[in-house]
Amino acid sequence: MTATKTNYFTDARQVIAGGVNSPVRAWQSVGGDPLFVSHARGSKIYDTAAREYIDFVLSWGPMILGHAHPDVIEAICSAARKGTSFGAPTESETQMAQLICSAIPSMELMRMTSSGTEATMTAIRLARGYTGRNMIIKFDGCYHGHADSLLVQAGSGVATLVIPGSPGVPECLAELTISLPYNDIAAVQEAIERYGSQLAAIIVEPVAGNMGVVEPQNGFLAKLRELTTQHGIVLIFDEVITGFRFIFGGYQNLVGIKPDLTCLGKIIGGGLPIGVLGGKKEIMEVLAPSGNVYQAGTLSGNPLAVNAGLATLHLLQAKAYSYADVDKRTEQLCRDMENMFSAQGIPVCINRFHSMFTLFFQAGPVNNFLDAKKSATTFFARFFHGMIKEGIWLAPSQFEANFISFAHTDADIDCTLQACANTLKHL
Ligand code: HOZ
């Protein structure tokens, strides 16, 4: 059956579980039917009724250059003309690996996958294989994709839909994952004292993006580095969101902390499916075929994704766009929105880090998942729909990050502020 102009979601639900291929897209926590997208270009996204929106979701982070950047599209088309998948190595994969290793020096060797989930899943397996230990620590509200071991107290869609525990994950596996409050180094110390010799890895989003944006506080990451080194635990930075978002490199470059393993995705694929896992040579060599920990994938290092990623990374490396400008725009947007809310006496705490931000509807501060969950989610839903009516597409969940791209202009920011003012009049 062909979808008509009004029944896209109804039709989708007949044949796709929940009508979407990734839960947060269903808008369940904000209510109403999700908009279906027809196309996107630059900072704008268009629904199937040809309405234009300024896009702050940006495919959940990857589209730092904006949608359909001509260089990226050209790279994809020219790669496609040569064939779309070979199941054999290509020179582009080596070029991409060289570029990423030069930008993020802790990544001495890497392996490409088809998604961030595969990268984090492999990182955990590798840490277990390397250390011969089984337990891992993660942090409440952090989301590292949907592999079994990582779905405990997870953020993103799991937080948005308030899914209790991790149905479908065998208890004996979930028991091996300890989830602790983000930014709570005392809790980490305690867990290490208790389970130290059984701990294979600590995995962390160095700036959390999946409970909304939350920055590490009080040397949290440096202390994690210190403790993991002392106890022979593999430290994994999940930089799927943060990689190449703030500078040409990872968040780790900004703070000078070298994790043992790093996971990347999103921006490095230029909007095509990709993941990367990399780190210390000694650990990475434990992966098959040089070692015995197994990981594989027919579409790993796919030529379209790698060439879209290479085109994106080359533009970022060449400083064709200014990270400082995009940060300044984000800062202005957040500051002016904050002022509007406080003029109306509406409590809001806007957490921003460079070009990613979340509006938490509460007084704040928000330093962990428990704090994030105190937000007024019903008010968030009303604000979200108000903004959609005004042509502004924000992340449809209180527990996600919004992003700004190099394609967003001062006019986009002014327009968004005007939309916010209009929305507030009606709330
Ligand atoms: N869990 C993703 C955001 N953190 C959403 C992915 C998607 O729906 O595309």
Side-chain angles (χ1 to χ4, degrees), residues 254-266:
L254 278 181
V255 288
I257 299 172
K258 279 188 169 186
D260 300 305
L261 294 176
T262 298
C263 299
L264 298 172
K266 301 205 188 259

Side-chain angles (χ1 to χ4, degrees), residues 305-348:
V306 166
N307 281 287
L310 265 175
T312 303
L313 292 177
H314 281 144
L315 285 167
L316 298 180
Q317 186 187 35
K319 299 194 167 63
Y321 300 96
S322 155
Y323 279 104
D325 285 353
V326 82
D327 292 353
K328 222 168 67 205
R329 285 196 182 104
T330 320
E331 187 193 1
Q332 186 211 331
L333 176 69
C334 292
R335 192 191 48 234
D336 290 359
M337 282 203 290
E338 208 152 38
N339 289 339
M340 281 182 200
F341 281 104
S342 63
Q344 302 267 338
I346 299 168
V348 72

Side-chain angles (χ1 to χ4, degrees), residues 106-107 109-111 260-263 276-280 284:
S106 73
M107 299 178 78
L109 278 181
M110 72 176 57
R111 173 62 58 84
D260 300 305
L261 294 176
T262 298
C263 299
V276 159
L277 142 86
K280 274 192 180 145
M284 290 302 295

